[in-house]
């Protein structure tokens, strides 16, 4: 009987690739997509082509920084509708194969398959996506979702790579613990403070120590992550976001606390209107503040009870805002609602 596998498909430089398809003259040029396409304005990079990445440009970077690193790059505005349409074509192509397809975003999906030759099937999937959409992809092959997702990093660009329990430590053991999917910069820094620098170090770490430092659930989870353990199934159930938010980048810094309060109120009111249409009750509001030049912090406030009431949402947003010290200019504000699960 054919063995079960998980494939993880990730479209290579997806947003930039869609733009190049629309403008073939951009082929081979550094392309940066973000904001309204004007690098003299505030905004962040949504994606950068491989040519742009050679200049150190990456997603989440301020557009002005990207422009400073490569003034000759082509800067383009975000066109969400075009990317969504291309993504839908890719996902429809994946569903033509005998697989459970779990959409994980515009540019990635997990596939649950059974095969004696998973790499060969991965190549056929790559070819089908390329033929029908003209987009290149990379595919990780694994015995669970974590290993398949991690394998994709080694497959890029345009490749296929297998990562299982058999070769996990041979491939991952010497790498920084922060390279693991799910470990962010802050957690990596805390691990480093404990003398845990590599994936192998984390796998050998004392679980009680991890639980004491990171909590009774997160500590053991970190160790399981280092060993590549993951028992989550691939599912084709429609994805339901855990929250919804609104944010705005200001071309001129906000310095007056009263003005910042008014802007957060306005964002919360707009968000509340969208939440009313969505109908899902909210349990927590999170406010995001990006201070000049580029330091970002968040604080959240729970609702007394699950609700979509605009006044309750605004009140929670303002309570969260009170947790900040507004002693520096503000360049971005955001309000996010977290749904009841």
């Amino acid at each position: 009987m054919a063995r079960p596998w998980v494939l993880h498909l990730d479209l290579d430089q997806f947003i930039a690739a869609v733009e190049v398809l629309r403008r073939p003259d951009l082929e081979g040029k550094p392309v940066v997509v973000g904001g309204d396409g004007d690098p003299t304005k505030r905004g962040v990079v949504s994606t950068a082509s491989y040519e742009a990445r050679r200049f150190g440009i990456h997603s989440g970077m301020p557009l002005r920084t990207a422009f400073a690193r490569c003034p000759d790059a082509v800067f383009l505005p975000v066109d969400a509708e075009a990317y969504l349409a291309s993504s839908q074509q890719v996902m429809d192509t994946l569903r033509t194969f005998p697989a459970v397809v779990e959409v994980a975003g515009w540019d990635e999906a997990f596939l649950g398959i059974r095969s004696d030759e998973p790499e060969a099937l991965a190549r056929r999937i790559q070819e089908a996506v390329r033929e029908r959409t003209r987009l290149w992809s990379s595919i990780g092959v694994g015995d669970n979702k974590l290993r398949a997702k991690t394998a994709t990093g080694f497959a890029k660009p345009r490749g296929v790579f297998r990562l299982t329990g058999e070769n996990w430590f041979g491939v991952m053991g010497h790498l920084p613990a922060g390279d693991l999917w799910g470990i962010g910069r802050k957690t990596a820094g805390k691990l480093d403070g404990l003398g845990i620098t590599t994936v192998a170090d984390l796998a050998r770490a004392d679980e009680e120590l991890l639980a004491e430092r990171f909590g009774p659930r997160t500590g053991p989870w970190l160790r399981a992550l280092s060993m590549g353990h993951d028992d989550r199934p691939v599912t084709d159930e429609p994805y339901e976001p855990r929250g919804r938010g609104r944010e705005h980048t200001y071309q001129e810094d906000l310095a007056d606390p009263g003005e910042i309060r008014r802007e957060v109120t306005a964002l919360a009111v707009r968000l509340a209107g969208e939440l009313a249409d969505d109908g899902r009750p909210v349990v927590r509001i999170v406010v995001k503040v990006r201070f000049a030049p580029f330091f970002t912090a968040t604080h959240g406030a729970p609702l007394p009870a699950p609700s979509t009431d605009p006044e309750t949402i605004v009140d929670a947003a303002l309570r969260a805002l009170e947790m900040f010290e507004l002693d520096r200019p503000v360049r971005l504000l955001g309000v996010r609602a977290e749904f009841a699960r």
Side-chain angles (χ1 to χ4, degrees), residues 134-145:
R134 296 185 293 159
L135 294 169
W136 285 103
S137 61
S138 301
I139 298 181
V141 179
D143 46 10
N144 61 34
K145 291 172 75 172

Side-chain angles (χ1 to χ4, degrees), residues 173-186:
H174 67 287
L175 295 178
D179 285 1
L180 289 168
W181 180 34
I183 293 185
R185 186 180 302 173
K186 289 184 179 179

Side-chain angles (χ1 to χ4, degrees), residues 17-29:
V18 172
E19 295 293 353
V20 171
L21 288 178
R22 299 202 291 181
R23 290 181 51 185
D25 59 299
L26 298 179
E27 182 73 40
K29 297 179 180 179

Side-chain angles (χ1 to χ4, degrees), residues 53-73:
R53 294 178 197 182
R54 296 192 187 109
F55 293 88
I57 299 172
H58 56 78
S59 299
M61 172 181 286
L63 284 171
R64 290 174 178 174
T65 302
F67 181 72
R69 293 190 177 186
C70 185
D72 294 330

Side-chain angles (χ1 to χ4, degrees), residues 14-235:
F14 170 58
I15 293 175
V18 172
E19 295 293 353
V20 171
L21 288 178
R22 299 202 291 181
R23 290 181 51 185
D25 59 299
L26 298 179
E27 182 73 40
K29 297 179 180 179
V31 176
V32 179
V33 181
D36 65 2
D38 185 347
T40 66
K41 292 182 179 179
R42 285 182 170 171
V44 297
V45 175
S46 295
T47 197
S49 67
Y50 289 132
E51 291 81 6
R53 294 178 197 182
R54 296 192 187 109
F55 293 88
I57 299 172
H58 56 78
S59 299
M61 172 181 286
L63 284 171
R64 290 174 178 174
T65 302
F67 181 72
R69 293 190 177 186
C70 185
D72 294 330
V74 179
F75 288 83
L76 299 173
V78 173
D79 186 347
E81 290 187 7
Y83 313 143
L84 181 60
S86 292
S87 174
Q88 189 62 55
Q89 278 189 303
V90 172
M91 302 309 162
D92 288 344
T93 302
L94 298 183
R95 294 187 182 101
T96 65
F97 288 85
V100 177
V101 178
E102 179 179 332
V103 178
W106 276 351
D107 60 348
E108 63 177 321
F110 291 97
L111 294 88
I113 66 165
R114 284 187 173 274
S115 175
D116 292 323
E117 297 180 331
E119 284 93 344
L121 178 56
R123 290 289 184 191
R124 291 200 296 273
I125 291 171
Q126 266 184 334
E127 291 166 5
V129 169
R130 175 66 178 166
E131 179 180 343
R132 298 185 188 189
T133 69
R134 296 185 293 159
L135 294 169
W136 285 103
S137 61
S138 301
I139 298 181
V141 179
D143 46 10
N144 61 34
K145 291 172 75 172
L146 170 61
R147 290 177 179 143
K149 168 82 172 181
T150 306
T152 310
F154 295 96
K156 283 188 169 293
R158 304 182 182 183
V160 172
F161 189 87
R162 183 194 291 203
L163 188 57
T164 68
E166 296 176 357
N167 67 339
W168 174 261
F169 284 110
V171 174
M172 296 295 298
H174 67 287
L175 295 178
D179 285 1
L180 289 168
W181 180 34
I183 293 185
R185 186 180 302 173
K186 289 184 179 179
T187 301
K190 292 177 181 178
L191 288 170
D192 190 62
L194 295 173
I196 299 171
T197 59
T198 68
V199 173
D201 289 339
L202 184 53
R204 290 190 294 263
D206 182 79
E207 200 162 289
E208 290 186 6
L209 173 65
L210 293 173
E212 180 181 334
R213 183 68 179 84
F214 296 97
R217 295 184 62 183
T218 301
W221 171 77
L222 288 171
R223 188 163 180 271
L225 197 66
S226 71
M227 295 184 284
H229 294 171
D230 187 359
D231 59 2
R232 296 170 301 158
V234 178
T235 174

Side-chain angles (χ1 to χ4, degrees), residues 238-245 278 280 336-341:
Y239 171 72
E240 285 197 354
R242 296 180 179 178
R244 184 168 184 171
D278 193 61
R280 295 177 64 188
R336 178 175 174 80
E338 295 181 353
F339 297 130
R341 296 184 184 178

